[in-house]
């Protein structure tokens, strides 16, 4: 029984069949839509270039039973049952792949014109806003805020992005790396307001706190006109339905899985955005809210289910990876930069293409590449292999990273 019909849930079903599991597999999804991929929602689907992003998976041929539009409300591990709106459902092995819920802006509930961008229905509601070239305020200059602002500018909308921190991507990357990215907004024709906190939202306008208007010394107005407001201020693991189940959760609310993605409950696994896992590579527990984690983790889950105690899989310890398309740039990241002790620039961040490499004792632990896919491809392999580099050569953008190996 797989709960969650996003990338992690679908790939778990696929991996089970690929690895020889012959028992019944049921995939339960809260949304009524055919299971779909999420990255195109902020791009092709939002801009009307695609109607949906359904996975190219033949569930009938895989003999996977789909139960869509079914909300799961609880777990009773001792009984090996989950509770749904339609009644209890038994399982032998349960895989939790419920993903994450976007955070809402406090006080914005029920206000007309306020949007999130997480689901196909969210994208369907936002597509006409872009088509009609509305004036839009985006709250949050993180990954989703930047991607939505990019699409909105491509559609010809007037866009203002408000960010409480003093730089974009403040929660994701160090200040020296993200500071140059602020210029990308102006280049695209979007206005970026930093140190700007939302006081409240009304239909047709966003009101900032009293200290937001003059934080940059420009006397910028506190009230912003907004035909639509798009909120992108983060997400939390969708594990509220597990309350009372006895499942161990970490402080973020994620299920605490082990290195085979088993939870604290018997016969219950967790994969994707709803689960944290211990990384021996980085010496800490990681919670990775990105597509690649939802693609890779299911293989470990399937291997453990199929192999059982006699044939355990390799520990799950990936090099995290994600990408973002924003403001005409292809941004890629691999690794976990807090583990580094040295930061090396490869190129000038004022140029269209550059990258940043983090080392620990001269071994690469993370890489951010902007328009340098070769750096990403080579750097990711070097991180996986733990290969020491010559820092002087690694800092030279004309030297391929693989040529900087000691």
């Amino acid at each position: 029984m797989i709960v969650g019909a996003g990338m992690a849930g679908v790939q778990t079903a696929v991996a089970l069949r690929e690895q020889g599991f012959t028992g019944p597999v049921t995939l339960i999804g809260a949304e009524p839509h055919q299971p779909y991929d999420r990255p195109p929602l902020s791009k092709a689907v939002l801009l009307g270039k695609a109607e949906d992003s359904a996975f190219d998976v033949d569930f009938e041929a895989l003999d996977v039973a789909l139960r869509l539009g079914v909300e799961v409300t609880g777990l009773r591990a001792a009984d090996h049952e989950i509770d749904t709106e339609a009644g209890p459902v038994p399982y032998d092995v349960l895989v939790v792949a419920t993903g994450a819920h976007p955070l809402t802006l406090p006080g914005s509930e029920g206000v007309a014109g306020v949007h999130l961008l997480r689901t196909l229905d969210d994208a369907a509601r936002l597509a006409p806003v872009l088509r009609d070239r509305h004036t839009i305020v985006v709250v949050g200059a993180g990954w989703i805020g930047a991607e939505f602002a990019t699409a909105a500018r491509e559609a010809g909308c007037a866009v203002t992005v408000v960010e409480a921190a003093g730089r974009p991507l403040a929660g994701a990357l160090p200040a020296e790396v993200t500071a140059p990215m602020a210029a990308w907004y102006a280049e695209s024709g979007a206005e970026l307001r930093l140190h700007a906190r939302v006081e409240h939202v009304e239909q047709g306008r966003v009101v900032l706190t009293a200290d937001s208007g003059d934080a940059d010394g420009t006397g910028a107005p506190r009230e912003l006109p907004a035909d639509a407001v798009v909120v992108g201020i983060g997400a939390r693991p969708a594990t509220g339905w597990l309350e009372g189940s006895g499942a161990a959760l970490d402080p973020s609310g994620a299920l605490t899985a082990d290195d085979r993605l088993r939870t604290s409950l018997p016969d219950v696994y967790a994969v994707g955005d709803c689960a944290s896992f211990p990384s021996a590579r980085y010496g800490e527990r990681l919670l990775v809210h990105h597509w690649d984690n939802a693609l890779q983790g299911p293989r470990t889950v399937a291997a453990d289910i199929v192999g059982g105690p006699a044939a355990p899989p390799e520990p799950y310890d990936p090099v995290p990876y994600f990408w973002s398309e924003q403001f005409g740039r292809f941004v890629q990241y691999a690794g976990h930069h807090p583990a580094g002790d040295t930061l090396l620039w490869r190129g000038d961040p004022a140029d269209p293409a550059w990258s940043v490499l983090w080392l620990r004792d001269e071994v690469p632990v993370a890489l951010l590449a902007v328009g340098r896919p070769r750096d990403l491809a080579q750097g990711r392999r070097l991180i996986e292999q733990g290969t020491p580099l010559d820092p002087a050569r690694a800092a030279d953008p004309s030297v391929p990273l693989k040529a900087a190996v000691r």
Side-chain angles (χ1 to χ4, degrees), residues 98-104 118 233-240 250-254 273-275 287 289:
T98 43
H101 288 312
L103 296 177
T104 58
R118 182 73 177 181
I233 55 175
R236 292 291 180 269
T239 55
D250 68 20
S252 74
D273 291 3
C274 67
L287 175 61
H289 280 189

Side-chain angles (χ1 to χ4, degrees), residues 29-266:
E31 295 181 57
H33 309 291
Q34 190 75 3
Y36 61 88
D37 203 5
R38 295 189 188 278
L41 297 184
S42 62
K43 307 172 183 72
V45 174
L46 193 61
L47 290 169
K49 298 177 181 179
E51 291 185 5
D52 60 37
S53 55
F55 291 112
D56 185 18
V57 175
D58 189 335
F59 293 100
E60 185 176 354
L62 284 176
D63 192 22
V64 171
L66 292 181
R67 295 189 60 181
L68 304 176
V70 175
E71 191 77 38
V72 177
T73 58
L75 166 62
R76 287 175 288 110
D79 299 327
H80 273 60
E81 285 186 340
I82 56 172
D83 291 319
T84 75
E85 296 171 319
V89 180
Y91 67 83
D92 294 314
V93 176
L94 175 66
V95 180
V96 180
T98 43
H101 288 312
L103 296 177
T104 58
L105 188 65
S108 67
E109 295 84 355
V111 178
V114 177
H115 300 264
L116 300 170
L117 181 52
R118 182 73 177 181
T119 69
L120 186 60
D121 290 338
D122 291 338
R125 285 188 287 267
L126 274 166
V129 173
L130 270 62
R131 185 181 62 239
D132 296 340
R133 299 186 177 181
H134 283 249
T135 297
I136 300 172
V137 172
V138 179
V139 182
W143 298 112
I144 192 65
E147 291 190 1
F148 178 81
T150 298
R153 285 300 302 142
E154 184 178 332
C157 299
V159 179
T160 300
V161 180
V162 296
E163 168 58 51
R167 54 192 174 87
L169 294 170
L173 293 166
E176 62 265 42
V177 175
T178 60
M181 299 177 178
W184 298 356
Y185 289 78
E187 290 173 11
S188 76
E191 180 184 0
L192 175 62
R193 296 278 299 273
L194 300 173
H195 302 288
R197 293 175 174 81
V198 175
E199 181 180 275
H200 66 273
V201 177
E202 304 171 5
Q203 185 172 357
R205 67 174 186 158
V206 174
V207 180
L208 305 178
T209 57
D211 61 346
S212 295
D214 293 317
D216 56 5
T218 63
R222 284 184 57 204
E223 296 189 6
L224 304 174
D227 299 316
V229 179
V230 177
V231 179
I233 55 175
R236 292 291 180 269
T239 55
W241 64 281
L242 293 167
E243 183 177 356
S245 69
L249 306 178
D250 68 20
S252 74
L255 282 156
T256 53
D258 66 9
D259 62 6
R260 285 154 63 181
L261 300 179
R262 300 171 299 184
T263 72
S264 62
L265 299 176

